[in-house]
Amino acid sequence: MSILTFITQDQLDELDEDPRVAFMQLANHAQRSLADQTTGFDPREEQEWREIEDLRHSFVNVLLAAAKRFEIEPFASMELPTARNFDERSYRDFKDNLDHYITQLVIDNSTRMRRQSVVMPPKTRDNIRTYLHELRECVEKSSMSEAKRQALLDRLDAFQTELEKRRVNLMAVSLLIFDIITIPGAVWASYDITSRLVTNIMQSVAKARAEEQEKKRLAPPAEFKALSPPRKEIPPTRHEAASKYDLDDDIPF
């Protein structure tokens, strides 16, 4: 079985450029595919159990190969168990390690995304929607090539989608601005209007970012959660208590 048993070519083409994120995405696709392919299998049937084991072994093979390509430890250093030595315990151990790693990666990625994004106040979001609508008109009225025009319209669509999220990725803003300012002013029907709209978007995002940072600075420090007490001692059983009890202590002579 090949990697395409668990992930489509389109999904491969859309993997993130960050190796760690790409590995997480591939693992998620592969796990869903494995679950779908084994749904309805009866492990009590020997033939179906063998098919499950074959799919699981291929799953591990694909993920270890991807880890080596992306240089993801500790998986890149793991050896693929042979089919003869592969069993349910082998799969369970690998799955536990994979879940443990991806949990950490999801948390790290979430923390990083918060640093690289900003919450847009409703009014700011509405203003940017208006700027995007006007920018779209500027692109459609420009004299740029059809290919470039469509590329810019696609970028505007992507940013519009990003704008509807709770937190807006600052990279999406940067890519949009970069694509627009690299186009010569002569192709625009009105360069002044285009420039003003771009400036308005940058200022709106910068203001939202500054306000968010200021709120974080002024917010009171979060209270530490109380630590759990040590595990209570388990009372000894009667047998254990009797074995530790010195009968001589009760003998008065």
Side-chain angles (χ1 to χ4, degrees):
M1 298 180 189
S2 72
I3 187 174
L4 297 180
T5 303
F6 302 99
I7 183 172
T8 67
Q9 186 61 54
D10 287 342
Q11 290 170 334
L12 276 174
D13 294 340
E14 293 174 0
L15 292 180
D16 198 274
E17 294 183 1
D18 183 326
R20 298 199 312 162
V21 176
F23 180 76
M24 177 184 68
Q25 293 171 335
L26 192 155
N28 287 338
H29 287 309
Q31 288 185 91
R32 283 195 292 269
S33 178
L34 177 62
D36 290 341
Q37 293 183 65
T38 55
T39 297
F41 277 37
D42 187 352
R44 293 171 298 182
E45 294 292 334
E46 183 177 354
Q47 182 57 37
E48 293 190 3
W49 176 248
R50 287 180 179 176
E51 291 182 36
I52 293 175
E53 289 287 87
D54 286 345
L55 282 168
R56 286 177 172 178
H57 186 261
S58 295
F59 169 83
V60 174
N61 184 19
V62 166
L63 267 295
L64 289 181
K68 288 179 172 59
R69 174 63 181 81
F70 291 131
E71 299 181 349
I72 303 295
E73 294 294 353
F75 303 100
S77 299
M78 290 183 181
E79 293 293 332
L80 174 68
T82 63
R84 177 180 300 177
N85 296 326
F86 186 80
D87 55 20
E88 186 173 7
R89 173 53 59 187
S90 304
Y91 171 73
R92 173 55 59 188
D93 289 344
F94 177 81
K95 185 69 165 51
D96 288 345
N97 286 328
L98 183 65
D99 291 345
H100 183 77
Y101 174 82
I102 290 184
T103 297
Q104 297 177 76
L105 183 56
V106 168
I107 294 173
D108 289 347
N109 194 49
S110 177
T111 302
R112 183 184 63 178
M113 289 303 295
R114 283 199 299 272
R115 291 196 300 265
Q116 299 176 353
S117 61
V118 61
V119 174
M120 290 290 179
K123 184 177 180 180
T124 301
R125 198 183 302 270
D126 289 340
N127 289 339
I128 294 179
R129 288 194 188 103
T130 300
Y131 302 148
L132 290 176
H133 176 74
E134 296 180 23
L135 262 178
R136 187 179 299 277
E137 292 183 345
C138 290
V139 172
E140 292 173 345
K141 293 177 181 178
S142 68
S143 60
M144 66 184 71
S145 67
E146 185 58 33
K148 187 62 179 178
R149 179 182 290 106
Q150 189 58 52
L152 267 182
L153 291 175
D154 291 344
R155 177 68 73 190
L156 286 169
D157 289 341
F159 185 76
Q160 185 79 50
T161 300
E162 183 69 28
L163 187 63
E164 302 309 315
K165 297 179 180 179
R166 178 179 175 274
R167 298 191 66 87
V168 177
N169 193 325
L170 297 177
M171 180 59 69
V173 182
S174 301
L175 291 174
L176 174 63
I177 302 304
F178 179 81
D179 283 351
I180 291 176
I181 64 176
T182 54
I183 296 176
V187 306
W188 297 104
S190 174
Y191 178 75
D192 290 340
I193 293 178
T194 303
S195 179
R196 174 178 59 80
L197 291 171
V198 169
T199 300
N200 287 345
I201 291 176
M202 289 191 297
Q203 289 178 342
S204 298
V205 174
K207 182 179 178 181
R209 178 69 169 170
E211 290 175 351
E212 183 177 77
Q213 293 299 316
E214 183 65 13
K215 288 180 181 179
K216 289 182 180 179
R217 189 181 69 82
L218 298 177
E223 296 182 2
F224 288 103
K225 293 183 178 181
L227 297 177
S228 300
R231 185 177 58 182
K232 295 180 180 180
E233 290 293 334
I234 301 176
T237 64
R238 290 184 177 181
H239 177 74
E240 291 173 336
S243 65
K244 295 179 180 179
Y245 188 68
D246 190 351
L247 294 177
D248 289 342
D249 290 343
D250 288 341
I251 301 175
F253 51 84

